[in-house]
Amino acid sequence: MALNRRKFLEKSAVTGAGVALAGAVGAPAAQGAESGRKPVKRYSLTVMGTTDLHGHVFNWDYFKDAEYRDAAGNAQGLSRISTLVNQVRKEKGRCNTLLLDAGDTIQGTPLTYYYAKVDPITAKGGPVHPMAAAMNAIGYDAVALGNHEFNYGIETLRKFEEQCDFPLLGANALDAKTLKPAFPPYFIKTFHVKGAPPVKVAVLGLTNPGIAIWDKAYVQGKLTFPGLEEQAAKWVPKLRSMGADVVVVSAHSGSSGTSSYGDQLPYVENSAALVAQQVPGIDAILVGHAHVEIPELKVVNAKTGKTVVLSEPLAYAERLSLFDVELVFEKGRWSVESVSSKVLNSNSVADDPKITKLLKDDHDVVVKYVNQVVGTATATLTTVEARYKDAPIIDLITKVQEDVVRAALASTEYASLPVIAQASPFSRTSEIPAGAVTIRDLSSLYVYDNTLVAKLLTGAQIRAYLEYSAEYFVRTAAGAPVDVEKLTNANNRPDYNYDYVSGLSYEIDIAQAAGSRIKNLTFNGAALDDAQKFVFAVNNYRANGGGAFPHVASATELWSESTEIRTRIAEWVTAKGVLDPKDFASVDWKLTRDGTPVF
């Protein structure tokens, strides 16, 4: 679809720029007197921030059909954040505060899935997205685009944007043809100070370059995503020249300086600290994407020597970041004297009844939807051991993917090729209980909105793929004690970047060095032929390069679809009626040490 920049241009204060709005009349500036001098005018500003909300409105676990709980005692949901925001506004004065978010808003829970796919906001006369309704009610000033904003396609994102009372910012989300911003790059708010000139605060929004990989099917040829450092270096001087006294960046990018996609893109995935270090003129950065808690991180700018303060609140509305910005008016201009940050814990407050009332009906509809019974399980299936043992519950995923791809290619030239599939142990707590099976049971197994792709790979490429996947395990000498809690996630690789591959038989020898671990790799009882061609059923995240697995991103694509794998699993179970491990379970791999099984 053609990119619609109408809303952006209508609200722009400067052609091709961002949104400029006047803030409410502020409280009088604090003033301090120094001996022999006129009183110095000061102003205190508080910037609040959330990130990676992922559709969490209430402290509710749709997969467990119960209040959310974890061992750390965290609480989730915008209804809690709303209470914290109200407290801060009461303390500081609403006219002296700014509320931002750093992206990943409209994907992540059955609530957001329902209003994207089951009762979509894009339908004629469709509903208002619950995240738009909640964030409008709370009074967000601006939100940066996250990579997951693109998961349901540009049409859904544009409709969400239309429903929001605040701008969605993305200075490095460019129209692929014109290379002009496809979304507002920035937002400016003016804070009035009694007896002094107003304070102008600019918010620059930056999103993640990985969108070009992860949602290639939706954005290729339509949008392009250059690096954060490059675009910050372009826009920050412009904001300063427009009179910005304070520049805050809302970046959907972690602070580690690392990338999950290897060398597929020339841009760093987690570059927030690099932006602070390389680009002069930034006072604070609200960090997102990494799902880690950073109350305060100070980074010194290499060119100016000034300190930039970064903060990342924990995801799912578990934390609210607060930046306290102190300004002083001297020599005819405002300047930032200091910035400090901290996080507030949403478990310290109750739900805001305003948000609860506003979204209760939406929530109730989704609870009813996910509790629909679609089949019966003959045994309990769980992911508790799935990351180090071949678990039948993951075999269910690969079996469904194999069946769907095999049917899709039945009348093509590839119909005679063997179909194999990958799947990851996304969750350590998913369970499909014996007895009635609901949509929420199946959704908890596959928590992402991934879709299915068929790629053409050779045996040699599959072997390399498996070796890369096996790097997930910590090298453990034969005879050494095995602690399953320390056996996985080598080099901080997340569980979702470890893959099973079905249809083969192999051992992973964790006593060996990474790259030399796959042993006794066979297909149909014989040693794998490196020249053998396979149809590889793979999720779109992996197919587009997510996790930087070798060969798969560049492999020939034979087929793809837009139906979520989660939905395909529900359809498969519904059609069967009975979920029996004998229909899908197989032991394809095991961990060994020098040929001896670990378990």
Side-chain angles (χ1 to χ4, degrees):
M1 61 174 285
L3 293 174
N4 179 10
R5 300 176 68 235
R6 172 187 54 77
K7 180 178 179 183
F8 164 47
L9 293 172
E10 284 178 356
K11 292 185 177 180
S12 295
V14 179
T15 302
V19 184
L21 297 178
V25 176
Q31 297 186 7
E34 298 179 25
S35 178
R37 296 184 181 180
K38 293 174 64 176
V40 176
K41 293 183 174 63
R42 297 183 183 278
Y43 181 68
S44 298
L45 170 73
T46 298
V47 180
M48 298 175 281
T50 54
T51 191
D52 297 277
L53 298 172
H54 285 287
H56 288 78
V57 172
F58 298 128
N59 190 49
W60 187 260
D61 188 332
Y62 290 96
F63 303 128
K64 290 185 169 60
D65 198 28
E67 286 278 330
Y68 173 79
R69 289 185 177 87
D70 67 12
N74 289 308
Q76 299 180 341
L78 273 173
S79 58
R80 299 287 184 104
I81 291 295
S82 183
T83 301
L84 288 176
V85 167
N86 290 339
Q87 290 179 353
V88 173
R89 285 171 173 164
K90 183 177 181 180
E91 177 189 350
K92 307 286 187 178
R94 180 163 184 159
C95 53
N96 304 311
T97 65
L98 193 65
L99 179 58
L100 309 174
D101 183 83
D104 276 5
T105 303
I106 62 170
Q107 178 278 336
T109 61
L111 180 77
T112 49
Y113 175 80
Y114 187 89
Y115 290 102
K117 292 291 188 177
V118 182
D119 185 12
I121 61 173
T122 51
K124 186 176 181 179
V128 174
H129 197 289
M131 293 302 286
M135 297 174 86
N136 287 342
I138 295 169
Y140 274 79
D141 291 288
V143 171
L145 291 165
N147 53 285
H148 284 287
E149 260 64 84
F150 295 84
N151 285 173
Y152 298 118
I154 293 172
E155 182 185 8
T156 297
L157 175 53
R158 288 298 187 189
K159 186 63 178 181
F160 175 71
E161 180 187 31
E162 182 183 311
Q163 293 178 342
C164 292
D165 294 341
F166 46 83
L168 301 182
L169 306 179
N172 61 327
L174 309 181
D175 184 294
K177 295 183 176 62
T178 67
L179 297 184
K180 292 181 178 180
F183 295 84
Y186 66 84
F187 166 87
I188 292 178
K189 187 167 183 176
T190 301
F191 293 84
H192 295 285
V193 183
K194 186 176 180 180
V199 172
K200 292 179 70 174
V201 179
V203 180
L204 180 68
L206 296 169
T207 192
N208 205 289
I211 296 165
I213 294 174
W214 304 322
D215 276 305
K216 179 181 177 181
Y218 291 126
V219 301
Q220 188 174 38
K222 298 177 182 179
L223 295 170
T224 186
F225 302 89
L228 284 82
E229 305 98 307
E230 167 195 326
Q231 293 301 301
K234 172 183 176 179
W235 285 100
V236 171
K238 290 185 179 182
L239 297 175
R240 289 293 184 182
S241 70
M242 292 168 61
D245 301 300
V246 182
V247 173
V248 178
V249 174
S250 183
H252 193 75
S253 180
S255 63
S256 65
T258 62
S259 298
S260 68
Y261 39 69
D263 59 1
Q264 293 179 81
L265 292 176
Y267 312 116
V268 178
E269 177 182 350
N270 296 301
S271 64
L274 295 174
V275 171
Q277 182 185 58
Q278 296 176 15
V279 181
I282 298 169
D283 297 299
I285 301 180
L286 175 63
V287 179
H289 184 62
H291 291 216
V292 297
E293 183 177 340
I294 304 176
E296 184 177 71
L297 174 65
K298 294 182 177 180
V299 176
V300 176
N301 184 268
K303 295 180 181 178
T304 65
K306 291 185 176 180
T307 297
V308 184
V309 175
L310 285 67
S311 182
E312 180 176 1
L314 208 54
Y316 311 138
E318 293 184 5
R319 303 288 187 274
L320 176 71
S321 282
L322 290 189
F323 296 89
D324 286 312
V325 184
E326 302 295 333
L327 296 103
V328 60
F329 188 75
E330 292 180 306
K331 298 179 181 178
R333 60 184 293 271
W334 287 105
S335 61
V336 173
E337 190 172 52
S338 68
V339 181
S340 62
S341 67
K342 62 181 180 181
V343 295
L344 302 181
N345 196 327
S346 64
N347 72 3
S348 65
V349 296
D351 291 338
D352 181 348
K354 173 183 174 183
I355 304 302
T356 302
K357 181 179 179 181
L358 178 68
L359 291 167
K360 184 181 184 302
D361 289 348
D362 290 349
H363 169 75
D364 289 347
V365 165
V366 176
V367 168
K368 183 178 179 180
Y369 165 74
V370 299
N371 280 288
Q372 291 180 77
V373 174
V374 294
T376 304
T378 62
T380 296
L381 303 168
T382 176
T383 60
V384 170
E385 298 180 325
R387 65 193 187 279
Y388 51 86
K389 290 184 180 179
D390 189 343
I393 196 169
I394 308 299
D395 295 335
L396 172 61
I397 301 173
T398 57
K399 173 61 174 171
V400 171
Q401 293 180 171
E402 287 177 17
D403 285 0
V404 170
V405 167
R406 197 173 282 114
L409 298 179
S411 59
T412 73
E413 61 185 291
Y414 305 104
S416 62
L417 292 181
V419 178
I420 60 177
Q422 64 77 226
S424 304
F426 293 137
S427 167
R428 298 186 180 190
T429 59
S430 291
E431 180 178 286
I432 299 175
V437 177
T438 64
I439 286 177
R440 69 178 172 85
D441 294 326
L442 301 176
S443 296
S444 74
L445 170 61
Y446 210 106
V447 296
Y448 298 104
D449 295 324
N450 293 339
T451 56
L452 195 53
V453 180
K455 292 271 192 166
L456 183 65
L457 269 71
T458 66
Q461 291 172 329
I462 292 294
R463 187 188 304 273
Y465 189 100
L466 289 170
E467 284 287 5
Y468 179 83
S469 184
E471 293 176 15
Y472 168 76
F473 295 100
V474 175
R475 190 175 186 180
T476 308
V482 174
D483 180 352
V484 295
E485 298 306 319
K486 299 178 180 177
L487 188 61
T488 61
N489 307 100
N491 299 312
N492 296 313
R493 184 185 289 197
D495 296 344
Y496 61 76
N497 277 338
Y498 169 62
D499 281 3
Y500 288 38
V501 174
S502 67
L504 305 169
S505 177
Y506 57 97
E507 297 172 7
I508 302 173
D509 192 331
I510 59 174
Q512 306 303 314
S516 303
R517 292 178 170 174
I518 301 301
K519 308 295 182 183
N520 300 321
L521 176 57
T522 64
F523 172 65
N524 280 346
L528 181 69
D529 180 355
D530 283 351
Q532 169 77 55
K533 290 184 178 179
F534 292 91
V535 175
F536 194 32
V538 59
N539 69 54
N540 66 302
Y541 172 78
R542 192 72 80 233
N544 291 335
F549 278 63
H551 305 301
V552 66
S554 58
T556 300
E557 182 175 305
L558 308 180
W559 171 87
S560 66
E561 67 170 349
S562 60
T563 301
E564 294 79 7
I565 293 169
R566 179 197 300 121
T567 300
R568 289 301 192 190
I569 295 171
E571 290 173 347
W572 193 92
V573 174
T574 302
K576 289 280 186 182
V578 176
L579 190 60
D580 189 332
K582 70 178 176 58
D583 293 330
F584 54 84
S586 61
V587 179
D588 299 312
W589 63 273
K590 61 184 175 184
L591 297 185
T592 61
R593 290 185 292 182
D594 293 344
T596 301
V598 175
F599 302 106

